[in-house]
Amino acid sequence: MSKRLTLTQETIKDYIKSEKNRFDESLDECVAFEIIAAQKLLARYDLDDDETERGHVGKGNDGGYDGIYIFANECLITGQDFSSLDIPNNSIIDIHFIQTKYQTGFPEVSIQNWKDSFPNLLTDNPDPQRYNEEVRQAFELILSILKTAMRNKYRVNITFWGISLTTELHPNLIKQSEELKTIVQKNAPIVHDIAVNILTDKELFSAFQRSPDSVVSLHSDKDPLCPDGHSAILAVTIPEFNKFATSNDGNLEKSLFEANIRDYQGNNSVNKAIQNTLRNDMEVDFWWLNNGITILADSVKRDMDCSVTLINPRIVNGLQTSNEIWHYCREGDASKDTRKVLVKCISITDQDVRAKIIQATNNQSVIPSAYLRSLETIHLQIEQYFKRHGLHYERRKSSCKNEGIAAKDIITVPFLGQCLIAVLLKQPDYARARPAQILADDIKYKKIFNEDIPPEAYFALGKTSLFIRQYLRKSDLDRAEQNNLIFYVILATCAVQFRSFDITPNYLKNLNAPSVDALEDIVAASKQIFDDAGGDAKVAKSAEFAKLFIERFPINENDFNGITAS
């Protein structure tokens, strides 16, 4: 007779059943557990659904890893080629390995798998018969980072997560965990911190329940200047501001930062100047030498004690300053530092006005324009058009996810950008190789997001692409094949309908989603060309293969039933 589940275990299982319907109601419950657990455990990084799936590698031959998530300065880089990244010196690299067991115990063999696979995978040529392509790709990126960590002064941290519904940990798990740390340290001595966290059901429940505070107070020792009923200007001491911007675990509270401009720029000239001011200019008040911080909130209310209460605050300008203050306070005891930083707090909910404030306050910032893209009017227009026609354009990162909207109905800004680059620019290789940098190329960006492209074109391509993505997820293709082929299949689907790879926005207005039979044939034809060329990620990311694909794909054949030219 099986042991009865505890209330905590039943609650977790009930949550997984309800939440999996938001992702995909046909999703296996164990797989849903893997995805949902990863998103909740890594909540500090504010992963959206696409990013969560990018790190999900669990399947056959996974070496004991259901998820591998790699962050540089808390920005996800999993799925990127190391050569395409520009990681600043002194960056913090966080690597998270996740193994889940949707059962009431976490077996020792899972840790043993890590002990065996970690050194095997941390080589130049891991065995492809033993480890799947996605796991090997993730470790290829990790190995590249480790090889350059000393030269570039990266601080690399590795965390293993063991997740199950267990009520208690067997002592052997603790012993195995310590042995795992020793093996990792031996094979990757450059790693700074190594942690192995095997969670009980109650710890997992707490992680699922955790959410950032939405009501926060900001304290000053002088009365704030309140020009009107919805704004305040404060001079806040450096340690007090750091307390405001830091979570309980000592890290910057990423929920405070506007998702599109949260990339810390590392040890560049501007930040070096901020560092120098904090460390050396003790006789001059900090706010005299710094532009300060801008915070937008749903509500800004004056308190009685020289403080303001903010509802849903977001730091939209001052990320570099916030990071440098955090580094400064972390490196030593700054509790007696009386210097101040100037903080502007503005209550505004109108998205157009918010966008103008964010763009204006970041106009002189070193933050790349790519991180402000989705604040532009064109993306607000796309968002509104999509909403009127039944799709959800996630212009603000994780906003749709947080509203409980089904993943299959969400199209993110980067994903739409990837689809547009694949189709309009005929570069599915670029779309595949650079998921996190798709908006960073200014020339490409202006070609795919501009006033000459009608909203119907964005909508038709977005809707068709979501349909294709859902089809691929339910197909017999493994996850690596899906990731490698999706943008080629999207391009081919458009080319078949219009009998040409030279696709214009006006063509896209008339794009129809293919029938399942037609899509099955398109996928098969795409896979054949892909397999003949070598059939791996390097092929999919190759510009030479993209040209070969366009040359070889039979767009004029009549075998693709269910697609009609318009």
Side-chain angles (χ1 to χ4, degrees):
M1 185 176 180
S2 61
K3 186 177 179 181
R4 183 176 178 180
L5 296 178
T6 66
L7 177 60
T8 301
Q9 292 168 338
E10 288 281 14
T11 303
I12 292 173
K13 289 179 74 71
D14 183 67
Y15 177 79
I16 297 300
K17 289 176 183 176
S18 63
E19 186 70 3
K20 92 177 180 74
N21 291 332
R22 192 185 68 77
F23 281 92
D24 185 347
E25 59 186 15
S26 66
L27 199 64
D28 180 85
E29 206 164 304
C30 292
V31 176
F33 183 58
E34 296 171 2
I35 295 172
I36 295 165
Q39 197 169 76
K40 291 294 184 179
L41 288 172
L42 304 178
R44 61 179 276 205
Y45 302 103
D46 191 28
L47 297 178
D48 61 31
D49 295 333
D50 285 352
E51 290 172 325
T52 305
E53 288 221 28
R54 214 197 310 162
H56 182 234
V57 299
K59 58 183 178 182
N61 297 331
D62 58 26
Y65 307 96
D66 292 323
I68 302 177
Y69 296 86
I70 308 162
F71 301 87
N73 299 319
E74 305 213 357
C75 295
L76 183 70
I77 60 173
T78 299
Q80 295 286 117
D81 286 335
F82 185 73
S83 60
S84 72
L85 294 169
D86 183 19
I87 304 175
N89 290 353
N90 298 297
S91 291
I92 297 176
I93 310 295
D94 294 311
I95 302 170
H96 294 268
F97 299 113
I98 301 175
Q99 173 67 272
T100 63
K101 297 294 180 184
Y102 199 39
Q103 59 193 44
T104 57
F106 192 80
E108 287 184 53
V109 68
S110 294
I111 302 182
Q112 185 61 53
N113 285 341
W114 284 335
K115 289 161 62 177
D116 293 339
S117 63
F118 186 86
N120 290 340
L121 283 162
L122 211 62
T123 61
D124 289 323
N125 294 293
D127 186 355
Q129 300 298 318
R130 189 172 181 182
Y131 303 109
N132 71 53
E133 184 179 10
E134 289 185 293
V135 171
R136 286 185 281 115
Q137 282 184 56
F139 269 88
E140 182 180 344
L141 176 56
I142 292 169
L143 184 60
S144 297
I145 290 170
L146 293 176
K147 285 181 176 179
T148 58
M150 183 173 292
R151 180 177 72 247
N152 295 331
K153 300 179 181 178
Y154 297 152
R155 175 177 171 143
V156 182
N157 307 309
I158 291 179
T159 303
F160 292 83
W161 296 91
I163 311 301
S164 71
L165 304 180
T166 187
T167 57
E168 59 184 359
L169 302 184
H170 192 281
N172 286 350
L173 287 174
I174 309 301
K175 294 178 182 178
Q176 290 265 31
S177 297
E178 292 303 317
E179 292 173 2
L180 173 61
K181 290 181 184 178
T182 301
I183 290 173
V184 173
Q185 190 64 64
K186 179 181 178 181
N187 286 272
I190 194 68
V191 174
H192 187 272
D193 285 326
I194 304 167
V196 181
N197 300 323
I198 312 299
L199 302 189
T200 64
D201 59 341
K202 291 184 178 179
E203 290 170 327
L204 181 60
F205 179 78
S206 296
F208 279 15
Q209 292 294 107
R210 197 176 299 133
S211 61
D213 293 334
S214 59
V215 181
V216 186
S217 292
L218 184 60
H219 302 279
S220 175
D221 54 7
K222 300 290 184 180
D223 286 338
L225 173 63
C226 298
D228 47 50
H230 50 264
S231 63
I233 302 172
L234 301 87
V236 182
T237 64
I238 286 173
E240 187 62 41
F241 178 77
N242 187 62
K243 180 181 176 182
F244 166 79
T246 305
S247 60
N248 292 332
D249 60 5
N251 293 298
L252 277 175
E253 182 56 82
K254 285 302 175 183
S255 65
L256 287 173
F257 297 94
E258 191 73 13
N260 297 293
I261 56 171
R262 70 180 192 169
D263 191 19
Y264 173 52
Q265 296 300 296
N267 207 27
N268 61 22
S269 58
V270 173
N271 287 344
K272 285 180 180 178
I274 298 174
Q275 293 168 17
N276 184 63
T277 301
L278 284 167
R279 292 167 183 161
N280 301 319
D281 292 334
M282 305 299 290
E283 73 283 358
V284 180
D285 208 333
F286 181 73
W287 75 272
W288 295 0
L289 307 173
N290 183 270
N291 291 333
I293 310 290
T294 301
I295 298 177
L296 299 187
D298 293 344
S299 172
V300 176
K301 292 185 178 180
R302 168 76 186 275
D303 289 338
M304 297 296 292
D305 58 348
C306 302
S307 305
V308 294
T309 295
L310 308 171
I311 297 179
N312 297 324
R314 293 292 183 270
I315 296 174
V316 297
N317 184 45
L319 174 66
Q320 312 304 316
T321 297
S322 300
N323 269 273
E324 294 306 334
I325 287 176
W326 177 69
H327 283 295
Y328 167 70
C329 292
R330 189 181 65 167
E331 290 170 0
D333 183 9
S335 60
K336 296 181 181 180
D337 194 329
T338 59
R339 291 176 299 167
K340 297 176 178 64
V341 60
L342 191 67
V343 183
K344 294 189 299 181
C345 304
I346 304 168
S347 171
I348 192 72
T349 56
D350 185 285
Q351 294 301 321
D352 284 337
V353 178
R354 288 177 72 100
K356 289 179 181 178
I357 293 172
I358 293 168
Q359 288 174 321
T361 54
N362 283 280
N363 192 44
Q364 302 302 319
S365 174
V366 297
I367 297 172
S369 60
Y371 293 95
L372 292 168
R373 298 296 197 194
S374 64
L375 300 170
E376 295 174 2
T377 301
I378 188 170
H379 294 286
L380 177 64
Q381 294 169 341
I382 294 172
E383 178 186 46
Q384 293 175 346
Y385 187 89
F386 277 30
K387 189 173 183 179
R388 288 195 299 269
H389 292 82
L391 276 185
H392 299 274
Y393 187 55
E394 195 166 63
R395 187 172 63 89
R396 296 187 65 194
K397 193 170 186 289
S398 295
S399 58
C400 295
K401 177 194 74 177
N402 294 337
E403 291 176 17
I405 296 169
K408 64 182 177 62
D409 296 325
I410 299 172
I411 185 163
T412 63
V413 176
F415 181 67
L416 182 60
Q418 286 174 292
C419 298
L420 289 163
I421 283 177
V423 174
L424 293 182
L425 306 188
K426 296 187 286 189
Q427 294 180 333
D429 55 301
Y430 189 94
R432 169 65 181 91
R434 293 168 174 81
Q437 298 172 300
I438 211 68
L439 304 183
D441 187 314
D442 196 55
I443 295 175
K444 285 183 170 60
Y445 176 82
K446 290 178 180 179
K447 290 180 178 178
I448 62 175
F449 289 111
N450 60 69
E451 291 291 333
D452 294 330
I453 299 178
E456 298 95 330
Y458 290 121
F459 178 78
L461 180 60
K463 186 175 182 179
T464 299
S465 298
L466 287 180
F467 174 77
I468 291 171
R469 185 168 70 177
Q470 284 298 108
Y471 172 86
L472 291 175
R473 286 176 176 173
K474 296 178 181 180
S475 71
D476 293 332
L477 299 178
D478 63 35
R479 189 173 298 276
E481 290 174 319
Q482 294 174 33
N483 291 337
N484 288 331
L485 285 172
I486 181 170
F487 300 110
Y488 289 91
V489 172
I490 290 170
L491 171 61
T493 299
C494 297
V496 166
Q497 178 167 335
F498 302 119
R499 297 295 186 260
S500 172
F501 278 102
D502 296 320
I503 299 165
T504 68
N506 282 328
Y507 281 174
L508 284 182
K509 285 196 307 182
N510 302 309
L511 181 65
N512 299 312
S515 69
V516 172
D517 289 342
L519 188 52
E520 182 179 359
D521 292 338
I522 291 171
V523 171
S526 300
K527 187 175 185 303
Q528 185 64 58
I529 299 171
F530 177 63
D531 289 344
D532 289 347
D536 60 18
K538 290 183 180 179
V539 169
K541 298 174 183 179
S542 163
E544 290 74 18
F545 173 69
K547 294 177 182 177
L548 176 67
F549 181 86
I550 290 171
E551 291 172 0
R552 290 190 55 190
F553 194 89
I555 59 172
N556 293 312
E557 292 188 4
N558 296 317
D559 297 335
F560 304 112
N561 297 320
I563 292 186
T564 57
S566 300

